[in-house]
Amino acid sequence: MSATPQKNRATRRVLAAAAGLATVGALVAAMPAGAHDRGDGHGPGHGHGHKPRTVDVQLLSFNDLHGNLEPPAGSAGNVSETQPDGTVKAIPAGGVEYLATSLRTARKGNPYSVTAAGGDMVGASPLLSGLFHDEPTIEALNGLDLDVTAVGNHEFDEGAAELARLQNGGCHPVEGCYEKGKKFKGADFPYLAANVTKEKTGRPLLKPYTVWKKNGVKIGFIGVTLEGTPDIVTANGVKGLKFHDEVETINKYARELDRKGVKSIVALIHEGGAPASTSYNYDCDSPGAGDGISGPIVDIAKGITPKVDALVTGHTHQAYVCTVPDPSGQPRMVTSASSFGKLYTDTTLTYDRRTKDIVRTSVKSANHVVTRDQAKATDMTRLIDRWNKLAAPIASKPQGWISADINGRGSTAPEKPLGNVIADAQLEGLAPADKGGAEVAFMNPGGIRADLVHKASGSEGDGVVTYGEAFTVQPFTNMMNVVDLTGAQLVTALQQQVSGSNEASPKILQVSKGLTYTLDLTKSGADRVVADTIKLNGEAIDPARTYRVAMNEFLAGGGDGFAALGEGTNKLVGASDLDLFNAYLAAHSTAAAPLAPPATDRITVIQ
């Protein structure tokens, strides 16, 4: 998901720790394969000593963990399941204690099992991981026996050097080692970044592919992030790097693997699609193959060489198991397992020992819920407890009080209650003349990473918002900017929510109080923002007038396709988004008078 990445600010340890590596989406842990005798009848026990012609390899996969070691709170921690009667049930899911149990249970009876991930394993992480530059998450992934992952856009939040540290180990260059006598070991699985090269040398930043081997079975994994990563990560995060076309890159390395005799290939792609239903058990091959999914991954899948046997995807935080035809017209599995460790995908790849290839017609796949009613993995519990003790002095500090859940990430509406709170906090903090003189504030929806949940997460009591909870909502620690924009540029920016690169998948900015307009979803492109309805404090926007506009540095750099916001002048750099959020909570709530969820009446939506 596009989100506001942070810059790595050494002097702001607590604040700057959250962005982390964004895409260790790689739980390539185990390829389950149950060695079934399907071929020539010379299986074990037949006295000939021949291996069976085919063997089933289990591919377990997940994506977009984002450092969610503990179960995500509130609605962001639920998955939707369609019941036989057509109703939809919300099931609480996720947490590495349960993910570990789910994966270990799934591997039983599958001697050929490999675990892979689709990127964004780290970055935009809750405080428990983000405070420590996502070292806890890498440690957990090692414990989950992840075999391989692609990088995602969030793996670049803190830049290439920090990504290399996550891979290779070593203590943080500024903050040092977090535990006395312990040096961070790094990931014991490869991060793959086939389509990311260094500008100066043209060489790949990390390994483009890896080959998993067991008893003569060989499967190649190629990992890529979305080509548009620079558009959704701060400039510092991608400095000195070039991002290449996903299809061309995968096809290039598939040819290389093929020449080396590796005929079975899986692509790990940090790009995804949107299924027609948000239920994880929706059949997106209905009525026909791939009919129920749209988005960038469809065109990518149709362009990737038939040499690739399956695609593990991510980025959109959606759940799907679809078959999209390859360029030769043959069906090929394309999967994604939601986000935050709430699902895992179990795919059976039938490997033919004679051809060394996957029998594509035998590929089967399904998503499974990581339920919270199973036993916790005790090693993951110990890991969480250990890091929680280190984080506790900062994490448990109260910041404010709320009277009920204020939904952000868990809201599917264009205007989110928590989005309004965040935008109002930014406007209030930057409105004074000496702070920038802001008249309006914009917040990108992808930067809101959680809900504010009324139920206590620890011993703080219901309704208390702790520093850790506030950090989980806004983990990037972006610095705020106030800039001059003309009314015409403001209107253009609002139209860019639903046009250009955002036309197929709109990104609706969260706006501060006083800004109102109508969003007509029955229209297409820029026309969906009804220009003559845009008003600030009841007055129509004057195209010629200059307005002072507050936004985080990611949006001010034109991120998320908002080129117009990147045209601002007379910039003033303010406090961090998290500082303003916490200041607002402190100013507008007490134990006796908690903050209530705000009305969502700024954007009038016509469906």
Side-chain angles (χ1 to χ4, degrees), residues 145-193:
D145 291 325
L146 183 63
D147 290 303
V148 59
T149 186
V151 294
N153 53 290
H154 282 279
E155 259 78 24
F156 295 93
D157 283 351
E158 292 191 50
E162 175 64 2
L163 173 54
R165 186 182 76 88
L166 288 183
Q167 176 71 83
N168 302 319
C171 296
H172 193 271
V174 175
E175 293 164 25
C177 301
Y178 295 113
E179 295 177 287
K180 193 174 180 181
K182 271 193 178 181
K183 182 182 175 185
F184 174 58
K185 294 177 181 174
D188 62 13
F189 50 87
Y191 263 108
L192 305 180

mmCIF file of all heavy atoms in Angstrom, residues 145-193:
data_model
loop_
_atom_site.group_PDB
_atom_site.id
_atom_site.type_symbol
_atom_site.label_atom_id
_atom_site.label_comp_id
_atom_site.label_asym_id
_atom_site.label_seq_id
_atom_site.Cartn_x
_atom_site.Cartn_y
_atom_site.Cartn_z
ATOM 1 N N ASP A 145 11.235 -19.725 9.753
ATOM 2 C CA ASP A 145 11.853 -20.491 8.662
ATOM 3 C C ASP A 145 11.423 -19.982 7.298
ATOM 4 O O ASP A 145 11.137 -20.762 6.382
ATOM 5 C CB ASP A 145 11.553 -21.992 8.783
ATOM 6 C CG ASP A 145 12.249 -22.612 9.974
ATOM 7 O OD1 ASP A 145 13.366 -22.180 10.288
ATOM 8 O OD2 ASP A 145 11.660 -23.504 10.606
ATOM 9 N N LEU A 146 11.420 -18.676 7.148
ATOM 10 C CA LEU A 146 11.184 -18.095 5.830
ATOM 11 C C LEU A 146 12.389 -18.452 4.958
ATOM 12 O O LEU A 146 13.532 -18.330 5.378
ATOM 13 C CB LEU A 146 11.036 -16.575 5.946
ATOM 14 C CG LEU A 146 10.713 -15.852 4.656
ATOM 15 C CD1 LEU A 146 9.359 -16.284 4.096
ATOM 16 C CD2 LEU A 146 10.701 -14.348 4.868
ATOM 17 N N ASP A 147 12.115 -18.920 3.749
ATOM 18 C CA ASP A 147 13.202 -19.308 2.848
ATOM 19 C C ASP A 147 13.627 -18.180 1.919
ATOM 20 O O ASP A 147 14.780 -18.121 1.498
ATOM 21 C CB ASP A 147 12.776 -20.508 1.993
ATOM 22 C CG ASP A 147 12.666 -21.782 2.804
ATOM 23 O OD1 ASP A 147 13.666 -22.153 3.424
ATOM 24 O OD2 ASP A 147 11.582 -22.384 2.837
ATOM 25 N N VAL A 148 12.710 -17.299 1.573
ATOM 26 C CA VAL A 148 13.036 -16.252 0.609
ATOM 27 C C VAL A 148 11.926 -15.220 0.604
ATOM 28 O O VAL A 148 10.770 -15.531 0.900
ATOM 29 C CB VAL A 148 13.213 -16.853 -0.811
ATOM 30 C CG1 VAL A 148 11.950 -17.568 -1.263
ATOM 31 C CG2 VAL A 148 13.604 -15.785 -1.832
ATOM 32 N N THR A 149 12.279 -13.974 0.269
ATOM 33 C CA THR A 149 11.264 -12.944 0.080
ATOM 34 C C THR A 149 11.714 -11.973 -0.986
ATOM 35 O O THR A 149 12.905 -11.812 -1.229
ATOM 36 C CB THR A 149 10.980 -12.181 1.382
ATOM 37 O OG1 THR A 149 9.884 -11.279 1.174
ATOM 38 C CG2 THR A 149 12.184 -11.381 1.813
ATOM 39 N N ALA A 150 10.739 -11.352 -1.623
ATOM 40 C CA ALA A 150 11.040 -10.217 -2.493
ATOM 41 C C ALA A 150 11.136 -8.981 -1.617
ATOM 42 O O ALA A 150 10.609 -8.952 -0.505
ATOM 43 C CB ALA A 150 9.928 -10.033 -3.531
ATOM 44 N N VAL A 151 11.800 -7.956 -2.105
ATOM 45 C CA VAL A 151 11.700 -6.664 -1.449
ATOM 46 C C VAL A 151 10.386 -6.028 -1.853
ATOM 47 O O VAL A 151 9.861 -6.293 -2.926
ATOM 48 C CB VAL A 151 12.866 -5.710 -1.823
ATOM 49 C CG1 VAL A 151 14.185 -6.236 -1.308
ATOM 50 C CG2 VAL A 151 12.920 -5.479 -3.325
ATOM 51 N N GLY A 152 9.865 -5.182 -0.969
ATOM 52 C CA GLY A 152 8.714 -4.360 -1.310
ATOM 53 C C GLY A 152 9.133 -2.905 -1.262
ATOM 54 O O GLY A 152 10.290 -2.602 -0.937
ATOM 55 N N ASN A 153 8.226 -2.003 -1.548
ATOM 56 C CA ASN A 153 8.589 -0.584 -1.493
ATOM 57 C C ASN A 153 9.027 -0.160 -0.096
ATOM 58 O O ASN A 153 9.943 0.647 0.069
ATOM 59 C CB ASN A 153 7.424 0.291 -1.971
ATOM 60 C CG ASN A 153 6.118 0.012 -1.265
ATOM 61 O OD1 ASN A 153 5.514 -1.037 -1.462
ATOM 62 N ND2 ASN A 153 5.657 0.937 -0.436
ATOM 63 N N HIS A 154 8.410 -0.739 0.940
ATOM 64 C CA HIS A 154 8.758 -0.316 2.302
ATOM 65 C C HIS A 154 10.132 -0.789 2.747
ATOM 66 O O HIS A 154 10.695 -0.257 3.696
ATOM 67 C CB HIS A 154 7.688 -0.762 3.290
ATOM 68 C CG HIS A 154 6.472 0.091 3.264
ATOM 69 N ND1 HIS A 154 6.394 1.296 3.923
ATOM 70 C CD2 HIS A 154 5.296 -0.060 2.604
ATOM 71 C CE1 HIS A 154 5.207 1.838 3.682
ATOM 72 N NE2 HIS A 154 4.538 1.036 2.889
ATOM 73 N N GLU A 155 10.691 -1.765 2.062
ATOM 74 C CA GLU A 155 12.057 -2.152 2.385
ATOM 75 C C GLU A 155 13.037 -1.008 2.111
ATOM 76 O O GLU A 155 14.174 -1.047 2.556
ATOM 77 C CB GLU A 155 12.467 -3.392 1.580
ATOM 78 C CG GLU A 155 12.413 -4.668 2.386
ATOM 79 C CD GLU A 155 11.021 -5.215 2.576
ATOM 80 O OE1 GLU A 155 10.146 -4.922 1.762
ATOM 81 O OE2 GLU A 155 10.798 -5.939 3.545
ATOM 82 N N PHE A 156 12.562 -0.007 1.354
ATOM 83 C CA PHE A 156 13.445 1.111 0.995
ATOM 84 C C PHE A 156 13.176 2.372 1.824
ATOM 85 O O PHE A 156 13.780 3.418 1.570
ATOM 86 C CB PHE A 156 13.302 1.422 -0.502
ATOM 87 C CG PHE A 156 13.779 0.305 -1.376
ATOM 88 C CD1 PHE A 156 12.898 -0.666 -1.828
ATOM 89 C CD2 PHE A 156 15.116 0.194 -1.705
ATOM 90 C CE1 PHE A 156 13.333 -1.729 -2.610
ATOM 91 C CE2 PHE A 156 15.572 -0.865 -2.487
ATOM 92 C CZ PHE A 156 14.683 -1.825 -2.939
ATOM 93 N N ASP A 157 12.303 2.281 2.803
ATOM 94 C CA ASP A 157 11.951 3.478 3.583
ATOM 95 C C ASP A 157 13.174 4.146 4.205
ATOM 96 O O ASP A 157 13.250 5.364 4.298
ATOM 97 C CB ASP A 157 10.961 3.122 4.704
ATOM 98 C CG ASP A 157 9.546 2.936 4.189
ATOM 99 O OD1 ASP A 157 9.303 3.240 3.014
ATOM 100 O OD2 ASP A 157 8.685 2.478 4.977
ATOM 101 N N GLU A 158 14.124 3.346 4.658
ATOM 102 C CA GLU A 158 15.312 3.918 5.304
ATOM 103 C C GLU A 158 16.549 3.827 4.418
ATOM 104 O O GLU A 158 17.671 4.029 4.882
ATOM 105 C CB GLU A 158 15.560 3.221 6.648
ATOM 106 C CG GLU A 158 14.491 3.536 7.677
ATOM 107 C CD GLU A 158 14.884 3.072 9.069
ATOM 108 O OE1 GLU A 158 15.997 3.378 9.514
ATOM 109 O OE2 GLU A 158 14.067 2.402 9.710
ATOM 110 N N GLY A 159 16.340 3.518 3.132
ATOM 111 C CA GLY A 159 17.441 3.541 2.187
ATOM 112 C C GLY A 159 18.143 2.210 1.997
ATOM 113 O O GLY A 159 17.931 1.247 2.731
ATOM 114 N N ALA A 160 18.994 2.178 0.963
ATOM 115 C CA ALA A 160 19.661 0.936 0.558
ATOM 116 C C ALA A 160 20.632 0.424 1.617
ATOM 117 O O ALA A 160 20.771 -0.788 1.809
ATOM 118 C CB ALA A 160 20.385 1.151 -0.768
ATOM 119 N N ALA A 161 21.314 1.335 2.310
ATOM 120 C CA ALA A 161 22.289 0.895 3.313
ATOM 121 C C ALA A 161 21.607 0.166 4.463
ATOM 122 O O ALA A 161 22.109 -0.850 4.967
ATOM 123 C CB ALA A 161 23.085 2.090 3.837
ATOM 124 N N GLU A 162 20.442 0.672 4.874
ATOM 125 C CA GLU A 162 19.719 0.014 5.969
ATOM 126 C C GLU A 162 19.126 -1.310 5.509
ATOM 127 O O GLU A 162 19.088 -2.294 6.267
ATOM 128 C CB GLU A 162 18.635 0.948 6.503
ATOM 129 C CG GLU A 162 17.732 0.342 7.563
ATOM 130 C CD GLU A 162 18.420 -0.050 8.859
ATOM 131 O OE1 GLU A 162 19.653 0.166 9.004
ATOM 132 O OE2 GLU A 162 17.738 -0.598 9.743
ATOM 133 N N LEU A 163 18.686 -1.377 4.250
ATOM 134 C CA LEU A 163 18.199 -2.642 3.704
ATOM 135 C C LEU A 163 19.327 -3.675 3.706
ATOM 136 O O LEU A 163 19.124 -4.836 4.091
ATOM 137 C CB LEU A 163 17.657 -2.436 2.288
ATOM 138 C CG LEU A 163 17.252 -3.682 1.501
ATOM 139 C CD1 LEU A 163 16.252 -4.534 2.266
ATOM 140 C CD2 LEU A 163 16.674 -3.287 0.139
ATOM 141 N N ALA A 164 20.516 -3.247 3.328
ATOM 142 C CA ALA A 164 21.663 -4.162 3.334
ATOM 143 C C ALA A 164 21.973 -4.640 4.750
ATOM 144 O O ALA A 164 22.340 -5.802 4.962
ATOM 145 C CB ALA A 164 22.880 -3.462 2.734
ATOM 146 N N ARG A 165 21.799 -3.767 5.740
ATOM 147 C CA ARG A 165 22.042 -4.169 7.138
ATOM 148 C C ARG A 165 21.021 -5.208 7.574
ATOM 149 O O ARG A 165 21.363 -6.173 8.286
ATOM 150 C CB ARG A 165 21.986 -2.953 8.065
ATOM 151 C CG ARG A 165 22.379 -3.266 9.507
ATOM 152 C CD ARG A 165 22.260 -2.049 10.397
ATOM 153 N NE ARG A 165 20.876 -1.746 10.749
ATOM 154 C CZ ARG A 165 20.241 -2.256 11.805
ATOM 155 N NH1 ARG A 165 20.845 -3.103 12.608
ATOM 156 N NH2 ARG A 165 18.987 -1.923 12.064
ATOM 157 N N LEU A 166 19.774 -5.033 7.179
ATOM 158 C CA LEU A 166 18.760 -6.025 7.536
ATOM 159 C C LEU A 166 19.111 -7.380 6.934
ATOM 160 O O LEU A 166 18.880 -8.422 7.540
ATOM 161 C CB LEU A 166 17.382 -5.574 7.070
ATOM 162 C CG LEU A 166 16.760 -4.428 7.845
ATOM 163 C CD1 LEU A 166 15.370 -4.122 7.323
ATOM 164 C CD2 LEU A 166 16.670 -4.730 9.327
ATOM 165 N N GLN A 167 19.660 -7.366 5.717
ATOM 166 C CA GLN A 167 20.044 -8.620 5.072
ATOM 167 C C GLN A 167 21.283 -9.230 5.733
ATOM 168 O O GLN A 167 21.311 -10.412 6.050
ATOM 169 C CB GLN A 167 20.327 -8.373 3.594
ATOM 170 C CG GLN A 167 20.833 -9.606 2.844
ATOM 171 C CD GLN A 167 19.781 -10.668 2.630
ATOM 172 O OE1 GLN A 167 18.985 -10.604 1.709
ATOM 173 N NE2 GLN A 167 19.749 -11.673 3.502
ATOM 174 N N ASN A 168 22.306 -8.402 5.938
ATOM 175 C CA ASN A 168 23.618 -8.927 6.319
ATOM 176 C C ASN A 168 23.921 -8.886 7.806
ATOM 177 O O ASN A 168 24.860 -9.537 8.264
ATOM 178 C CB ASN A 168 24.709 -8.159 5.560
ATOM 179 C CG ASN A 168 24.530 -8.269 4.056
ATOM 180 O OD1 ASN A 168 24.209 -9.334 3.544
ATOM 181 N ND2 ASN A 168 24.714 -7.163 3.343
ATOM 182 N N GLY A 169 23.153 -8.093 8.564
ATOM 183 C CA GLY A 169 23.393 -8.008 10.000
ATOM 184 C C GLY A 169 24.293 -6.852 10.374
ATOM 185 O O GLY A 169 24.733 -6.060 9.538
ATOM 186 N N GLY A 170 24.551 -6.734 11.662
ATOM 187 C CA GLY A 170 25.337 -5.631 12.195
ATOM 188 C C GLY A 170 24.445 -4.670 12.956
ATOM 189 O O GLY A 170 23.272 -4.514 12.631
ATOM 190 N N CYS A 171 24.975 -4.049 13.973
ATOM 191 C CA CYS A 171 24.168 -3.156 14.798
ATOM 192 C C CYS A 171 23.923 -1.837 14.073
ATOM 193 O O CYS A 171 24.666 -1.473 13.153
ATOM 194 C CB CYS A 171 24.850 -2.937 16.149
ATOM 195 S SG CYS A 171 24.958 -4.495 17.083
ATOM 196 N N HIS A 172 22.893 -1.116 14.482
ATOM 197 C CA HIS A 172 22.508 0.126 13.801
ATOM 198 C C HIS A 172 23.659 1.121 13.821
ATOM 199 O O HIS A 172 24.304 1.304 14.863
ATOM 200 C CB HIS A 172 21.259 0.725 14.453
ATOM 201 C CG HIS A 172 20.639 1.804 13.640
ATOM 202 N ND1 HIS A 172 20.999 3.119 13.755
ATOM 203 C CD2 HIS A 172 19.703 1.756 12.653
ATOM 204 C CE1 HIS A 172 20.304 3.840 12.888
ATOM 205 N NE2 HIS A 172 19.512 3.037 12.207
ATOM 206 N N PRO A 173 23.939 1.795 12.702
ATOM 207 C CA PRO A 173 25.112 2.671 12.628
ATOM 208 C C PRO A 173 25.071 3.849 13.596
ATOM 209 O O PRO A 173 26.124 4.381 13.962
ATOM 210 C CB PRO A 173 25.099 3.163 11.176
ATOM 211 C CG PRO A 173 23.722 2.895 10.663
ATOM 212 C CD PRO A 173 23.237 1.708 11.419
ATOM 213 N N VAL A 174 23.904 4.246 14.027
ATOM 214 C CA VAL A 174 23.792 5.378 14.944
ATOM 215 C C VAL A 174 23.419 4.912 16.351
ATOM 216 O O VAL A 174 24.033 5.308 17.345
ATOM 217 C CB VAL A 174 22.755 6.391 14.434
ATOM 218 C CG1 VAL A 174 22.545 7.505 15.451
ATOM 219 C CG2 VAL A 174 23.205 6.965 13.097
ATOM 220 N N GLU A 175 22.411 4.044 16.428
ATOM 221 C CA GLU A 175 21.895 3.641 17.740
ATOM 222 C C GLU A 175 22.610 2.444 18.339
ATOM 223 O O GLU A 175 22.407 2.110 19.502
ATOM 224 C CB GLU A 175 20.388 3.378 17.625
ATOM 225 C CG GLU A 175 19.638 4.666 17.345
ATOM 226 C CD GLU A 175 18.225 4.424 16.852
ATOM 227 O OE1 GLU A 175 17.678 3.356 17.166
ATOM 228 O OE2 GLU A 175 17.687 5.311 16.174
ATOM 229 N N GLY A 176 23.430 1.793 17.546
ATOM 230 C CA GLY A 176 24.216 0.686 18.059
ATOM 231 C C GLY A 176 23.394 -0.569 18.298
ATOM 232 O O GLY A 176 22.351 -0.776 17.689
ATOM 233 N N CYS A 177 23.862 -1.400 19.213
ATOM 234 C CA CYS A 177 23.183 -2.660 19.535
ATOM 235 C C CYS A 177 22.131 -2.390 20.614
ATOM 236 O O CYS A 177 22.384 -1.648 21.555
ATOM 237 C CB CYS A 177 24.184 -3.688 20.030
ATOM 238 S SG CYS A 177 25.489 -4.055 18.833
ATOM 239 N N TYR A 178 20.984 -3.019 20.475
ATOM 240 C CA TYR A 178 19.882 -2.769 21.411
ATOM 241 C C TYR A 178 19.955 -3.630 22.666
ATOM 242 O O TYR A 178 19.398 -3.275 23.696
ATOM 243 C CB TYR A 178 18.537 -2.987 20.710
ATOM 244 C CG TYR A 178 18.301 -1.996 19.601
ATOM 245 C CD1 TYR A 178 18.252 -2.397 18.276
ATOM 246 C CD2 TYR A 178 18.142 -0.637 19.892
ATOM 247 C CE1 TYR A 178 18.043 -1.474 17.262
ATOM 248 C CE2 TYR A 178 17.936 0.288 18.881
ATOM 249 C CZ TYR A 178 17.888 -0.133 17.570
ATOM 250 O OH TYR A 178 17.689 0.777 16.563
ATOM 251 N N GLU A 179 20.625 -4.771 22.567
ATOM 252 C CA GLU A 179 20.732 -5.668 23.714
ATOM 253 C C GLU A 179 22.209 -5.915 24.027
ATOM 254 O O GLU A 179 22.995 -6.213 23.125
ATOM 255 C CB GLU A 179 20.038 -7.002 23.418
ATOM 256 C CG GLU A 179 18.537 -6.877 23.234
ATOM 257 C CD GLU A 179 17.893 -8.207 22.878
ATOM 258 O OE1 GLU A 179 18.071 -8.667 21.736
ATOM 259 O OE2 GLU A 179 17.210 -8.771 23.741
ATOM 260 N N LYS A 180 22.559 -5.762 25.269
ATOM 261 C CA LYS A 180 23.956 -5.879 25.687
ATOM 262 C C LYS A 180 24.521 -7.249 25.296
ATOM 263 O O LYS A 180 23.922 -8.290 25.561
ATOM 264 C CB LYS A 180 24.047 -5.683 27.210
ATOM 265 C CG LYS A 180 25.467 -5.485 27.705
ATOM 266 C CD LYS A 180 25.494 -5.146 29.188
ATOM 267 C CE LYS A 180 26.932 -4.952 29.659
ATOM 268 N NZ LYS A 180 26.978 -4.636 31.099
ATOM 269 N N GLY A 181 25.659 -7.213 24.648
ATOM 270 C CA GLY A 181 26.325 -8.463 24.288
ATOM 271 C C GLY A 181 25.720 -9.182 23.106
ATOM 272 O O GLY A 181 26.138 -10.298 22.785
ATOM 273 N N LYS A 182 24.721 -8.558 22.439
ATOM 274 C CA LYS A 182 24.070 -9.213 21.304
ATOM 275 C C LYS A 182 24.231 -8.369 20.054
ATOM 276 O O LYS A 182 23.877 -7.191 20.041
ATOM 277 C CB LYS A 182 22.575 -9.408 21.576
ATOM 278 C CG LYS A 182 22.217 -10.695 22.264
ATOM 279 C CD LYS A 182 20.723 -10.927 22.188
ATOM 280 C CE LYS A 182 20.317 -12.238 22.825
ATOM 281 N NZ LYS A 182 18.870 -12.459 22.718
ATOM 282 N N LYS A 183 24.721 -8.983 19.004
ATOM 283 C CA LYS A 183 24.849 -8.307 17.725
ATOM 284 C C LYS A 183 23.767 -8.821 16.784
ATOM 285 O O LYS A 183 23.523 -10.026 16.710
ATOM 286 C CB LYS A 183 26.233 -8.571 17.129
ATOM 287 C CG LYS A 183 26.478 -7.858 15.804
ATOM 288 C CD LYS A 183 27.858 -8.205 15.259
ATOM 289 C CE LYS A 183 28.053 -7.595 13.883
ATOM 290 N NZ LYS A 183 29.339 -8.016 13.273
ATOM 291 N N PHE A 184 23.100 -7.900 16.093
ATOM 292 C CA PHE A 184 22.037 -8.273 15.151
ATOM 293 C C PHE A 184 22.635 -9.111 14.018
ATOM 294 O O PHE A 184 23.592 -8.704 13.362
ATOM 295 C CB PHE A 184 21.373 -7.004 14.612
ATOM 296 C CG PHE A 184 20.354 -7.245 13.533
ATOM 297 C CD1 PHE A 184 19.265 -8.063 13.758
ATOM 298 C CD2 PHE A 184 20.489 -6.627 12.295
ATOM 299 C CE1 PHE A 184 18.320 -8.280 12.763
ATOM 300 C CE2 PHE A 184 19.549 -6.826 11.304
ATOM 301 C CZ PHE A 184 18.460 -7.653 11.531
ATOM 302 N N LYS A 185 22.046 -10.288 13.791
ATOM 303 C CA LYS A 185 22.624 -11.233 12.828
ATOM 304 C C LYS A 185 22.139 -11.032 11.398
ATOM 305 O O LYS A 185 22.735 -11.556 10.458
ATOM 306 C CB LYS A 185 22.312 -12.666 13.274
ATOM 307 C CG LYS A 185 23.001 -13.047 14.579
ATOM 308 C CD LYS A 185 22.604 -14.451 15.003
ATOM 309 C CE LYS A 185 23.266 -14.828 16.328
ATOM 310 N NZ LYS A 185 22.783 -16.144 16.817
ATOM 311 N N GLY A 186 21.038 -10.305 11.225
ATOM 312 C CA GLY A 186 20.502 -10.131 9.876
ATOM 313 C C GLY A 186 19.600 -11.283 9.479
ATOM 314 O O GLY A 186 19.364 -12.225 10.244
ATOM 315 N N ALA A 187 19.094 -11.201 8.254
ATOM 316 C CA ALA A 187 18.149 -12.210 7.760
ATOM 317 C C ALA A 187 18.898 -13.452 7.302
ATOM 318 O O ALA A 187 19.891 -13.344 6.578
ATOM 319 C CB ALA A 187 17.339 -11.635 6.607
ATOM 320 N N ASP A 188 18.407 -14.627 7.711
ATOM 321 C CA ASP A 188 19.049 -15.852 7.225
ATOM 322 C C ASP A 188 18.325 -16.394 5.990
ATOM 323 O O ASP A 188 18.498 -17.534 5.598
ATOM 324 C CB ASP A 188 19.171 -16.907 8.334
ATOM 325 C CG ASP A 188 17.836 -17.361 8.883
ATOM 326 O OD1 ASP A 188 16.788 -17.065 8.261
ATOM 327 O OD2 ASP A 188 17.821 -18.016 9.947
ATOM 328 N N PHE A 189 17.536 -15.544 5.363
ATOM 329 C CA PHE A 189 16.897 -15.845 4.076
ATOM 330 C C PHE A 189 17.299 -14.710 3.124
ATOM 331 O O PHE A 189 17.575 -13.594 3.567
ATOM 332 C CB PHE A 189 15.366 -15.871 4.223
ATOM 333 C CG PHE A 189 14.811 -14.658 4.916
ATOM 334 C CD1 PHE A 189 14.485 -13.509 4.205
ATOM 335 C CD2 PHE A 189 14.650 -14.645 6.305
ATOM 336 C CE1 PHE A 189 14.009 -12.384 4.850
ATOM 337 C CE2 PHE A 189 14.172 -13.509 6.955
ATOM 338 C CZ PHE A 189 13.849 -12.382 6.229
ATOM 339 N N PRO A 190 17.342 -14.981 1.817
ATOM 340 C CA PRO A 190 17.702 -13.902 0.890
ATOM 341 C C PRO A 190 16.534 -12.970 0.592
ATOM 342 O O PRO A 190 15.404 -13.408 0.423
ATOM 343 C CB PRO A 190 18.124 -14.650 -0.381
ATOM 344 C CG PRO A 190 17.391 -15.945 -0.321
ATOM 345 C CD PRO A 190 17.238 -16.289 1.140
ATOM 346 N N TYR A 191 16.857 -11.674 0.559
ATOM 347 C CA TYR A 191 15.955 -10.671 -0.002
ATOM 348 C C TYR A 191 16.276 -10.588 -1.487
ATOM 349 O O TYR A 191 17.431 -10.408 -1.853
ATOM 350 C CB TYR A 191 16.266 -9.301 0.612
ATOM 351 C CG TYR A 191 15.396 -8.902 1.752
ATOM 352 C CD1 TYR A 191 15.893 -8.878 3.053
ATOM 353 C CD2 TYR A 191 14.085 -8.497 1.522
ATOM 354 C CE1 TYR A 191 15.097 -8.486 4.103
ATOM 355 C CE2 TYR A 191 13.288 -8.109 2.576
ATOM 356 C CZ TYR A 191 13.799 -8.104 3.857
ATOM 357 O OH TYR A 191 13.007 -7.700 4.896
ATOM 358 N N LEU A 192 15.265 -10.695 -2.328
ATOM 359 C CA LEU A 192 15.486 -10.644 -3.774
ATOM 360 C C LEU A 192 14.993 -9.317 -4.335
ATOM 361 O O LEU A 192 13.891 -8.866 -4.022
ATOM 362 C CB LEU A 192 14.762 -11.799 -4.466
ATOM 363 C CG LEU A 192 15.106 -13.206 -3.960
ATOM 364 C CD1 LEU A 192 14.321 -14.250 -4.744
ATOM 365 C CD2 LEU A 192 16.607 -13.482 -4.048
ATOM 366 N N ALA A 193 15.837 -8.690 -5.165
ATOM 367 C CA ALA A 193 15.485 -7.390 -5.761
ATOM 368 C C ALA A 193 15.977 -7.354 -7.204
ATOM 369 O O ALA A 193 16.858 -6.571 -7.561
ATOM 370 C CB ALA A 193 16.087 -6.253 -4.943
#
